[in-house]
Amino acid sequence: MNNVEKALKRKLNDDSEMAYPDFDEMWNRMEQTGHTAPTLTDTSDSFTPHRHRNWRKIAIAASLSALLVAVPVYAAIHYNWGDLLHGRSGIQTALNQDLGQPLEQSVTRDGVKLTLHTAIVDENRTVILYSLEVGKRADNEFWNVKDVSLKSAAGKSSAGEYSFQQWDEKNQRYNGYFESDWTPQQETENVRLTVDHIELTSVQELDLPLDIKSPQMQTFKLDRNGLQDLKVQVFEQGKDKLMLSSAITFDSSKPKEWDNPQIIAYKGGEPVRPQPGGAFGTPGENGEYTAQQYFTKADIPEGQTTFKLQYAQTEKSINEPINLDLQLSKKKMESGTIKSVLNTPLENGNRNFTLEQMIVTPTQIRVTIRSEKKFAMLPYQKYFLSVNGTTLEGSRWSSPDQEHDLNTIRFERPSNLVITKDTPVTFTGKYKVTTHSDDKTPQRLTDISEQKQTLTTQIGGYPVKWTYYKQGSDLFVETESEDAHFGGINQTHIGLSKERIIGKPITANFAGDGNNKAVDVYKNFIGKEASIYMFYYTTDDPEAETTVPLQPLTSNSEAAK
């Protein structure tokens, strides 16, 4: 397996290692700074952009599904898909109980054969298992099934889509699954599954003479395969960690969303494992592909480490869409499905967040939480269900068309877990992050120059160090605190009202990630002084938790099967 496949597989299999951008935040921020067209949403001056948000295994996972698989076509419904379904134990549970719906439909294009094997359909999601036979491929090549979607006979398309593939060395095929929030509105429904195109890409590398000791912006001319240039800046993150902030510009004809570029560090010829907290794919001000990667200093010693830019290059594309008509049914799942209306506050006496509904199916348990305000960040970052003594850990799931005041927590269901309407179920939220937006005190930066200067202030009772300096014409403002309970400042701006200048975040911080250092840059800053304001800051309480009984139902709840 080549290096990029190893890296991607490791990141996808270890959920804590990959941070996913908040795309709502990105576009809202770009709208504020004039980089997108106006929309009909409210973007008034009172709107506060979010830097901290915790997206788990969504959006970017689709573009990282380069790891890809197959299995023998025979008896697919009984095949052990275990490796592929890492993190999707509920799907394997349904297969083990013969709750899958056989499909066995195939299409061959340009020598590539796509076969849909099994559908798992319930009230929470639709999952389709498939295989892809491509013949021989080089070690540095991989195929992708791209842009899969479902559309009902009424014309409604699916949303919240996710796909993942994995190479099966033994059978020399790919194996994959497509998952969507869409489910039949009736017991049985006719749908069309469309694969927009199938693509062959290869892993390419370019030498990168990166100087990790230099704090200056380093620019590398690429001029290769649609890649124009790469800008990298190295930031110290405490005493033992470095952050590589990079931005790539592409030729306008290049489909940059599928290139997945990243910087790989090699020591002794072996790739160095990066630290958790990296983020990939955030759009830059002018459409650049930006990324933040973290490394331990000791792992990349100067003189012993080489760097390369690694990316995927399209070699072949089967562009004619593939359409397969299916009749999907959730009938097999109905007897094991429980719907409960909860209407219970997440925290006792606080209606800012309300547990609204729980849906239990044979594959998954979903709990929805509605916030009083749109775009409000859930205060707890870790989620657990205690089901008759068994503890399940959940993760947030967000769909592109999901209501902005609704949050969904998913819990995969293990095969040995029996749940009825009378089974005790308790929801627990842990690691509380609190947002504070009431501090409008400006921090006065004076004698701004290329010399780094620092000042320490008290924010919410926590010491916060501000470091500011210029590089060329740009002003950089760094904030951090030695107290781990200070979550960090989300974003800063100079001045007030509509004339304010909003700092561009260099770091991609996420709620509860334990990193409170943030860096903003003000391009083409003129002057020697500035008054810096915060949009908001957060505080972390890793020990805080809330516990809410969900079953048996209380007087405030009712259930329907």
Side-chain angles (χ1 to χ4, degrees), residues 136-195:
K136 293 183 179 180
R137 73 170 178 85
D139 289 341
N140 73 323
E141 292 181 339
F142 49 86
W143 287 84
N144 271 311
V145 173
K146 308 298 276 294
D147 295 339
V148 187
S149 61
L150 287 174
K151 181 175 287 188
S152 67
K156 186 175 181 180
S157 298
S158 55
E161 296 156 353
Y162 176 98
S163 60
F164 180 61
Q165 297 181 162
Q166 189 178 72
W167 176 250
D168 181 356
E169 183 66 27
K170 179 181 178 181
N171 295 288
Q172 291 293 294
R173 301 170 180 173
Y174 289 102
N175 209 25
Y177 69 86
F178 163 74
E179 178 175 355
S180 173
D181 282 349
W182 180 90
T183 62
Q185 298 302 301
Q186 307 170 36
E187 184 180 278
T188 300
E189 193 163 344
N190 294 323
V191 300
R192 170 167 287 185
L193 181 140
T194 298
V195 176

Side-chain angles (χ1 to χ4, degrees), residues 93-112:
T93 295
L95 294 173
N96 294 344
Q97 297 175 4
D98 289 328
L99 295 176
Q101 176 185 337
L103 299 176
E104 296 307 324
Q105 292 193 39
S106 298
V107 173
T108 301
R109 294 274 171 81
D110 293 350
V112 174

Side-chain angles (χ1 to χ4, degrees), residues 1 5-14 67 166:
M1 182 181 290
E5 287 186 276
K6 289 179 180 178
L8 294 176
K9 186 172 184 179
R10 182 170 63 243
K11 288 170 183 172
L12 288 173
N13 284 343
D14 185 352
L67 313 174
Q166 189 178 72

Side-chain angles (χ1 to χ4, degrees), residues 108-112 132 134 141-147 195-202 253-255 257-258 312-322:
T108 301
R109 294 274 171 81
D110 293 350
V112 174
L132 192 70
V134 300
E141 292 181 339
F142 49 86
W143 287 84
N144 271 311
V145 173
K146 308 298 276 294
D147 295 339
V195 176
D196 187 67
H197 65 287
I198 300 176
E199 191 174 78
L200 172 65
T201 56
S202 63
S253 64
K254 189 72 176 176
E257 62 268 29
W258 302 118
Q313 173 181 306
T314 302
E315 301 290 347
K316 179 181 179 181
S317 187
I318 302 173
N319 291 317
E320 183 182 356
I322 295 174

Side-chain angles (χ1 to χ4, degrees), residues 102-332:
L103 299 176
E104 296 307 324
Q105 292 193 39
S106 298
V107 173
T108 301
R109 294 274 171 81
D110 293 350
V112 174
K113 183 179 180 181
L114 172 69
T115 302
L116 306 185
H117 293 291
T118 308
I120 308 293
V121 186
D122 61 22
E123 288 287 343
N124 282 333
R125 59 182 169 180
T126 294
V127 175
I128 295 177
L129 301 170
Y130 64 86
S131 65
L132 192 70
E133 299 176 59
V134 300
K136 293 183 179 180
R137 73 170 178 85
D139 289 341
N140 73 323
E141 292 181 339
F142 49 86
W143 287 84
N144 271 311
V145 173
K146 308 298 276 294
D147 295 339
V148 187
S149 61
L150 287 174
K151 181 175 287 188
S152 67
K156 186 175 181 180
S157 298
S158 55
E161 296 156 353
Y162 176 98
S163 60
F164 180 61
Q165 297 181 162
Q166 189 178 72
W167 176 250
D168 181 356
E169 183 66 27
K170 179 181 178 181
N171 295 288
Q172 291 293 294
R173 301 170 180 173
Y174 289 102
N175 209 25
Y177 69 86
F178 163 74
E179 178 175 355
S180 173
D181 282 349
W182 180 90
T183 62
Q185 298 302 301
Q186 307 170 36
E187 184 180 278
T188 300
E189 193 163 344
N190 294 323
V191 300
R192 170 167 287 185
L193 181 140
T194 298
V195 176
D196 187 67
H197 65 287
I198 300 176
E199 191 174 78
L200 172 65
T201 56
S202 63
V203 179
Q204 302 291 325
E205 288 188 333
L206 288 171
D207 291 332
L208 204 63
L210 181 64
D211 181 3
I212 59 173
K213 291 292 186 180
S214 173
Q216 304 295 323
M217 179 75 73
Q218 300 175 58
T219 301
F220 305 94
K221 288 294 182 182
L222 304 176
D223 293 329
R224 178 175 168 181
N225 301 324
L227 305 173
Q228 290 187 327
D229 60 57
L230 166 68
K231 296 182 184 295
V232 184
Q233 193 162 10
V234 181
F235 294 90
E236 291 192 358
Q237 298 280 291
K239 296 180 180 180
D240 60 352
K241 191 163 66 171
L242 292 177
M243 181 189 73
L244 306 186
S245 175
S246 61
I248 292 181
T249 56
F250 293 80
D251 183 286
S252 59
S253 64
K254 189 72 176 176
K256 56 182 177 291
E257 62 268 29
W258 302 118
D259 289 322
N260 302 321
Q262 59 179 309
I263 297 171
I264 306 295
Y266 289 93
K267 180 182 176 183
E270 294 295 322
V272 177
R273 186 184 182 97
Q275 291 299 304
F280 300 84
T282 311
E285 287 185 344
N286 299 301
E288 307 95 329
Y289 179 101
T290 70
Q292 294 80 38
Q293 297 171 251
Y294 296 89
F295 292 92
T296 300
K297 288 182 182 179
D299 292 343
I300 52 173
E302 187 180 15
Q304 301 178 40
T305 308
T306 59
F307 296 89
K308 294 180 184 291
L309 176 67
Q310 197 174 76
Y311 64 96
Q313 173 181 306
T314 302
E315 301 290 347
K316 179 181 179 181
S317 187
I318 302 173
N319 291 317
E320 183 182 356
I322 295 174
N323 295 310
L324 291 163
D325 293 323
L326 310 173
Q327 188 178 74
L328 299 180
S329 172
K330 55 186 178 183
K331 183 176 181 180
K332 286 187 175 181

Side-chain angles (χ1 to χ4, degrees), residues 511-535:
D513 64 4
N515 176 22
N516 64 29
K517 180 165 184 175
V519 183
D520 284 351
V521 61
Y522 293 86
K523 295 287 186 179
N524 301 313
F525 175 80
I526 299 174
K528 295 289 186 180
E529 297 184 348
S531 292
I532 303 289
Y533 296 82
M534 302 175 293
F535 280 108

